[in-house]
Amino acid sequence: MRTNQPKTIYLSEYKVPAYLVDSVDLRFELFDDGARVHSTLSVRRNPESADVSAPLTLDGDSLKLEHVALNGEELAASAYEDTGDQLVISKVPAGFELTVVTWIEPHNNTRLEGLYKSSGMFCTQCEAQGFRCITYFPDRPDVMARYRTRIEADKSTCPVLLSNGNDVDRGDLDNGRHFVTWEDPFPKPSYLFALVAGDLVEKQDTFTTCSGRDIDLRIYVEPRNAAKCEHAMDSLKRSMRWDEEAYGREYDLDIFMIVAVDDFNMGAMENKGLNIFNSSCVLASQETATDLAFQRIEAIVAHEYFHNWSGNRVTCRDWFQLSLKEGFTVFRDSTFSADVGSPTVKRIEDVTLLRTAQFAEDAGPMAHPVRPASYMEITNFYTLTIYEKGAEVVRMIHTLLGPDLFRKGSDLYFERHDGQAVTTDDFVKAMEDASGRDLTQFRLWYEQAGTPVLTVSDAYDAERGIYRLTIQQSVPDTPGQTDKKPQHIPFALGLLGADGEALPLSLESTADDESAPTERVLELTEASHTFEFHGLTQKPVPSLLRHFSAPVRVVYPWTREQLIFLMSHDPDGFNRWDAGQRLAVDVIQSLVGSPDFEVDPRLVDAYRALLSDSALDQALVAKMLQLPSEAYLIELSESPDVAAIHRAREKVLAHLATSLRDELLACFHRNAGAGAYEVSPESIARRSLRNTALAWLLMINDDTGRDLAVQQLSDADNMTDRMGALRALVNSDYAAERSQALSDFYERFQDDPQVVEQWFSVQSSSDRAGQLPQIQALLKHPAFDWKNPNKIRSVVGVFAGQNLAAFHNPDGSGYSFLGDQVCRLDDSNPQIAARLVTPLTRWQKFAPAYSSLMRSALERIRDKTGLSADLYEVVHKSLEV
Ligand code: PHE
Ligand code: ZN
């Protein structure tokens, strides 16, 4: 814990390491009351470092140093300095062996970084800087070494001992102990090191690679979860095949392992050959996991697997390059999900997250470029900007180059940099070299923070048959960055005629109209561009930024007629959905704070058409029926009044439900489960439609809906339907049914932590069941656990992030509640505390009545004694803007 200001690290100050480590020999002695770590490094001076007299500086955090020896000779205390976070040895030869012995206490490790215990098992988390909590080491990703790891532990409590690579030796020791030795042939940065020791069962399978090698696949879980690994295993095999086919990437070791742990700060971790997963991102069964969970698990298994190439074989030079591996890997996993599911639906989901949460981050006090220029605490930079915007940047390169040149570029990147620690610029350079395209201006996407705004205007010249489209771009100021340059933006569009026909886009008057494409990707590079489309006999309706071809805001004066037209005619499914969202946003916004209340009947008609259109892809219909979320409406408005937005949205929802009651009932029945349960896009869409219908019916307290929900809750053969019914009841005014449903559900699933997390969330996100006193009661519930990040997220995180009307209670109680919980957590798990505080950091955006209260909650956190570096950075940066 620090009380003074943490140091800022700058990209511009990057220096190559003065020493390299070729190999690491580790021996872990694991005991109930701690662990002794013996580490022997073979070190040599880096020939590329100019600093020939540099001392050897190793990072360490919360370590008890027991022994240091150089080339086998114990060092006198005067020969080194232990500064608390570094071990500095000033006189070392050009090449040598260093042995360090440390003592650590995994059972007291509540930060969940380094080696810690989770439900009795030992596990590690080393990204970004956790390895220094295990032993002294140059803990930076550009130091890559070969690891050999021997684990010794009690045979009965830790029958399974795992680390990276292949197991090369095992045997029994005295006192009921045993050991296993692992060897990883691939040099890797320390953040990819992993160790697991515990009482686990394994699910085993094999995969034959494209070159005919058999890979041993294993998922390790606690015995009670043995039956919940099948989906993750299938997802793994699909990912392995896909990476061979889409990127030509074959798996490299002989064994690939996944371990599920209950206490984990993030979703999952790509450690070489030994991925460690948050249980909620790997365990699934029909009875306990929703469709959303199934899809999430598939995507995360794929993501971590894909890291084996984009992240592990080619890694990051420093943490400013984090998006090199994360942006690219998210792009890869989202293409995978699109390929194995519905591409349009996947795009809608990705864009929803981006526009709701990443745009908000880009507009807030922590806004940073995809490649940041400075940070205080790197764990604060595992953000939507690094991941999601980073993926959009790679997607734009894909759009600009086309699939073939993009693949050529990725082949070149992997070939050129295999085994290296590189930069985002190296990635772009490989794309340039393979394609011959100049991406100089495009690089601004990595350097400039903020979401570009495209303001579009148009005019039709009937006489000459020309449609003119003018697009102006500007990139807003962000903390520390002003006067930004125009960026290189791929802008996909189409034009529609009055009957919905796709019009040819001829940019020259001489072109033969008929052969012109009906969709184009315009490349914007200047602050303003005007494009002329020739040979048009009518004023077209523009379909702009198709597939969301760039992460930008588009401002265009759409009329409601145009939006309704696009909703039913745009050949681009994504833009159909987007037109529907824009229409709903427009209708809701026009009602915010307005005393008279009349919902545009055209919105009702549009939704009625959707509900009864069985010809349209039902997965798309299911998405189109979701009204824009409160969070998105808030993001879109300036100085939002949360309560007014909440009321307007609820009114529109209630009006739609009342007007469409019969259609909703028909939709519910039409989409009743048919045949055996399966997780296919069609059946997912069916369940989604059915549960949306149910939710809407209960919104208006429809007794038939209530009976159907109660029935479904008891009869459902899967968690999606069960949860759909529970959620609908919880969000209704049927108080008796709600509490009955909640207690029956808990009774039934109390022994399953992942289901209990969902049970918490369904309440914390509900303005009926999740008002502050109820949230406080949940924190006292026996199943709540302050040491478990999932439980904290499912109550506190969901309340502040999703139950917006309750969190933004005008009396400020939600804010001080969050402040209290953040302070409390900061002492045990600062990473989670710094994430949880995010909603408060957006204080400046809100209407004055809210923002002053939010600000004072932040100030109270700032004044906490012993504020962690994590929280210090976030709180100070958001108060300083
Ligand atoms: N690298 C992990 C992923 O995105 C995320 C992670 C970061 C996990 C830091 C733990 C700690 O795949
Ligand atoms: Zn990742």
Side-chain angles (χ1 to χ4, degrees):
M1 269 339 88
R2 277 159 259 213
T3 41
N4 49 349
Q5 182 178 339
K7 232 176 81 212
T8 300
I9 323 264
Y10 297 93
L11 168 60
S12 58
E13 291 176 359
Y14 173 82
K15 282 204 197 68
V16 298
Y19 292 89
L20 300 177
V21 179
D22 292 316
S23 64
V24 183
D25 209 305
L26 295 167
R27 181 158 79 93
F28 285 84
E29 297 181 84
L30 304 179
F31 305 103
D32 285 343
D33 64 342
R36 181 165 292 110
V37 185
H38 307 252
S39 160
T40 298
L41 313 177
S42 94
V43 187
R44 69 186 155 94
R45 204 168 273 155
N46 183 0
E48 277 166 38
S49 165
D51 200 352
V52 292
S53 57
L56 176 74
T57 307
L58 305 177
D59 305 296
D61 185 345
S62 322
L63 300 173
K64 184 159 172 259
L65 181 61
E66 292 192 340
H67 179 83
V68 200
L70 202 144
N71 286 333
E73 300 264 331
E74 172 148 21
L75 283 186
S78 59
Y80 60 88
E81 194 193 349
D82 184 355
T83 66
D85 57 8
Q86 283 187 326
L87 179 68
V88 183
I89 309 178
S90 43
K91 286 213 186 57
V92 291
F96 57 96
E97 249 190 18
L98 185 78
T99 302
V100 177
V101 181
T102 50
W103 176 257
I104 52 181
E105 296 190 345
H107 58 291
N108 290 328
N109 180 348
T110 56
R111 285 161 55 190
L112 315 184
E113 286 177 280
L115 181 62
Y116 64 94
K117 275 189 127 173
S118 173
S119 2
M121 91 171 94
F122 290 91
C123 59
T124 54
Q125 175 48 48
C126 292
E127 185 175 6
Q129 300 178 330
F131 195 69
R132 64 186 63 185
C133 306
I134 294 174
T135 183
Y136 285 99
F137 196 78
D139 195 10
R140 44 186 289 169
D142 53 358
V143 172
M144 298 170 81
R146 279 195 185 77
Y147 285 68
R148 186 185 165 91
T149 306
R150 174 177 154 122
I151 311 165
E152 303 175 4
D154 182 79
K155 205 170 175 172
S156 60
T157 56
C158 294
V160 173
L161 305 175
L162 310 173
S163 190
N164 319 85
N166 306 308
D167 59 333
V168 293
D169 193 14
R170 60 174 63 227
D172 286 336
L173 301 166
D174 292 344
N175 303 321
R177 293 171 68 79
H178 69 148
F179 76 92
V180 180
T181 303
W182 292 82
E183 215 170 66
D184 182 358
F186 293 95
K188 63 167 176 285
S190 50
Y191 82 86
L192 290 174
F193 171 80
L195 173 155
V196 170
D199 187 2
L200 302 168
V201 294
E202 67 177 47
K203 176 175 168 72
Q204 206 273 334
D205 209 327
T206 53
F207 176 83
T208 307
T209 69
C210 51
S211 75
R213 292 169 41 244
D214 283 333
I215 314 295
D216 187 358
L217 308 179
R218 294 171 187 218
I219 300 183
Y220 288 90
V221 296
E222 289 172 51
R224 63 189 165 86
N225 292 321
K228 290 174 151 195
C229 304
E230 201 180 303
H231 177 64
M233 187 62 92
D234 290 343
S235 304
L236 175 61
K237 289 187 283 183
R238 276 194 290 277
S239 312
M240 296 179 86
R241 187 62 72 217
W242 187 88
D243 211 18
E244 294 182 345
E245 287 166 359
Y247 282 85
R249 299 293 118 199
E250 185 181 355
Y251 186 62
D252 48 11
L253 289 163
D254 299 331
I255 178 168
F256 185 85
M257 299 173 278
I258 289 178
V259 181
V261 308
D262 283 348
D263 305 288
F264 202 72
N265 282 343
M266 308 279 264
M269 180 62 211
E270 70 264 23
N271 317 299
K272 185 77 187 186
L274 178 56
N275 288 359
I276 297 183
F277 273 61
N278 188 319
S279 295
S280 71
C281 299
V282 59
L283 303 175
S285 70
Q286 174 179 342
E287 293 75 30
T288 61
T290 60
D291 292 338
L292 200 72
F294 272 93
Q295 289 174 304
R296 210 166 104 84
I297 288 166
E298 181 178 58
I300 296 179
V301 167
H303 179 97
E304 305 312 330
Y305 174 73
F306 296 156
H307 267 315
N308 190 54
W309 276 96
S310 48
N312 301 3
R313 288 289 286 257
V314 182
T315 194
C316 303
R317 186 191 74 173
D318 54 70
W319 293 117
F320 297 102
Q321 319 298 329
L322 182 56
S323 196
L324 173 79
K325 72 178 178 81
E326 296 306 346
F328 187 25
T329 305
V330 171
F331 172 70
R332 277 151 56 66
D333 82 59
S334 77
T335 320
F336 163 78
S337 297
D339 280 359
V340 299
S342 157
T344 304
V345 166
K346 175 63 180 161
R347 192 66 190 134
I348 290 169
E349 287 163 353
D350 288 351
V351 172
T352 300
L353 175 64
L354 190 82
R355 284 205 298 217
T356 307
Q358 196 279 324
F359 281 17
E361 186 170 278
D362 243 352
M366 285 289 287
H368 56 276
V370 169
R371 188 194 62 200
S374 70
Y375 61 76
M376 286 178 174
E377 185 52 62
I378 185 58
T379 53
N380 287 330
F381 284 78
Y382 285 77
T383 60
L384 290 145
T385 300
I386 300 296
Y387 278 71
E388 264 51 54
K389 187 175 181 179
E392 293 296 320
V393 171
V394 176
R395 174 183 294 274
M396 287 189 285
I397 297 179
H398 184 274
T399 303
L400 291 170
L401 268 54
D404 296 342
L405 289 176
F406 182 86
R407 171 63 196 271
K408 240 180 107 188
S410 76
D411 284 351
L412 179 61
Y413 168 73
F414 288 126
E415 186 197 320
R416 195 182 263 177
H417 298 297
D418 191 9
Q420 297 177 2
V422 303
T423 63
T424 55
D425 205 53
D426 292 317
F427 179 81
V428 177
K429 188 82 174 61
M431 290 292 164
E432 275 182 326
D433 291 350
S435 67
R437 289 225 37 174
D438 180 355
L439 297 174
T440 309
Q441 185 184 7
F442 186 84
R443 284 177 170 80
L444 288 172
W445 280 106
Y446 288 93
E447 293 157 28
Q448 295 190 157
T451 307
V453 180
L454 300 185
T455 308
V456 182
S457 58
D458 58 352
Y460 177 61
D461 179 342
E463 222 157 89
R464 297 170 56 207
I466 295 177
Y467 176 68
R468 269 190 206 89
L469 201 63
T470 299
I471 308 177
Q472 285 170 299
Q473 65 158 301
S474 65
V475 189
D477 291 350
T478 46
Q481 272 193 347
T482 52
D483 296 323
K484 293 176 204 184
K485 301 191 189 96
Q487 294 180 185
H488 184 175
I489 300 173
F491 188 90
L493 91 167
L495 299 176
L496 302 192
D499 299 324
E501 72 278 23
L503 301 173
L505 309 178
S506 13
L507 287 165
E508 283 145 50
S509 52
T510 52
D512 166 10
D513 286 348
E514 293 313 303
S515 67
T518 55
E519 179 172 308
R520 278 185 188 274
V521 179
L522 306 175
E523 295 193 21
L524 313 177
T525 51
E526 312 282 325
S528 177
H529 276 276
T530 298
F531 299 90
E532 292 193 339
F533 299 93
H534 296 259
L536 297 171
T537 55
Q538 52 174 319
K539 180 171 185 185
V541 176
S543 166
L544 304 174
L545 199 74
R546 280 195 172 159
H547 341 290
F548 208 68
S549 62
V552 299
R553 296 178 197 264
V554 175
V555 181
Y556 173 80
W558 274 288
T559 62
R560 289 188 184 172
E561 286 75 25
Q562 283 177 318
L563 293 172
I564 290 163
F565 175 80
L566 289 170
M567 258 180 102
S568 52
H569 291 97
D570 201 318
D572 180 38
F574 175 83
N575 267 13
R576 270 195 188 212
W577 168 81
D578 196 31
Q581 291 290 294
R582 285 179 195 275
L583 177 67
V585 165
D586 191 41
V587 169
I588 297 170
Q589 277 178 344
S590 67
L591 297 173
V592 172
S594 115
D596 52 74
F597 180 72
E598 174 114 35
V599 177
D600 189 333
R602 289 172 301 181
L603 184 73
V604 181
D605 292 340
Y607 274 73
R608 178 177 292 115
L610 275 175
L611 270 171
S612 41
D613 188 343
S614 50
L616 201 61
D617 174 5
Q618 295 298 290
L620 181 57
V621 173
K623 285 289 169 201
M624 291 188 76
L625 283 176
Q626 311 292 326
L627 279 192
S629 68
E630 281 175 18
Y632 184 51
L633 292 161
I634 286 171
E635 204 288 315
L636 287 177
S637 59
E638 253 165 62
S639 199
D641 175 345
V642 183
I645 290 177
H646 176 74
R647 271 195 307 273
R649 185 179 180 278
E650 297 271 287
K651 276 187 185 171
V652 170
L653 206 50
H655 180 77
L656 287 170
T658 310
S659 320
L660 300 171
R661 182 197 177 258
D662 296 344
E663 286 85 349
L664 289 167
L665 266 180
C667 171
F668 177 88
H669 289 299
R670 192 170 63 240
N671 289 292
Y677 173 85
E678 53 171 313
V679 189
S680 63
E682 300 73 40
S683 40
I684 291 174
R686 200 159 352 95
R687 286 189 285 273
S688 167
L689 284 168
R690 174 185 169 91
N691 287 308
T692 301
L694 204 53
W696 286 25
L697 288 168
L698 279 150
M699 264 292 300
I700 52 169
N701 304 313
D702 184 282
D703 284 350
T704 312
R706 174 203 55 197
D707 296 344
L708 290 170
V710 170
Q711 183 86 28
Q712 177 169 314
L713 188 59
S714 71
D715 295 355
D717 70 348
N718 67 83
M719 186 50 87
T720 305
D721 286 336
R722 199 180 295 278
M723 195 44 90
L726 180 67
R727 189 175 294 279
L729 285 168
V730 165
N731 288 310
S732 75
D733 288 331
Y734 297 109
E737 284 83 354
R738 174 197 312 141
S739 53
Q740 187 65 43
L742 282 168
S743 62
D744 290 354
F745 187 97
Y746 181 75
E747 186 77 16
R748 177 171 180 150
F749 293 104
Q750 55 184 312
D751 295 327
D752 188 313
Q754 284 76 51
V755 183
V756 172
E757 284 154 24
Q758 297 176 61
W759 181 80
F760 277 134
S761 302
V762 92
Q763 298 172 74
S764 341
S765 62
S766 158
D767 71 331
R768 305 287 203 289
Q771 292 297 324
L772 190 52
Q774 295 158 308
I775 298 294
Q776 270 153 338
L778 290 181
L779 295 182
K780 300 220 169 68
H781 192 277
F784 188 82
D785 175 3
W786 277 107
K787 288 206 210 57
N788 180 264
N790 291 5
K791 298 290 183 309
I792 297 163
R793 282 186 278 254
S794 63
V795 178
V796 187
V798 168
F799 170 69
Q802 292 175 37
N803 194 353
L804 299 177
F807 172 62
H808 290 277
N809 189 322
D811 66 7
S813 56
Y815 308 148
S816 36
F817 166 78
L818 183 62
D820 291 346
Q821 311 320 315
V822 165
C823 287
R824 161 178 196 154
L825 258 173
D826 193 43
D827 295 328
S828 56
N829 190 331
Q831 248 189 68
I832 298 292
R835 271 181 188 272
L836 223 52
V837 79
T838 308
L840 285 176
T841 66
R842 308 279 158 79
W843 64 276
Q844 258 199 330
K845 179 176 178 66
F846 289 84
Y850 299 96
S851 68
S852 59
L853 291 166
M854 292 172 89
R855 193 185 156 94
S856 39
L858 269 180
E859 286 167 347
R860 277 206 310 281
I861 300 173
R862 178 196 60 199
D863 297 339
K864 166 185 181 274
T865 49
L867 198 66
S868 69
D870 310 60
L871 205 46
Y872 181 102
E873 174 170 36
V874 177
V875 169
H876 280 259
K877 285 185 177 171
S878 37
L879 283 170
E880 275 156 22
V881 286

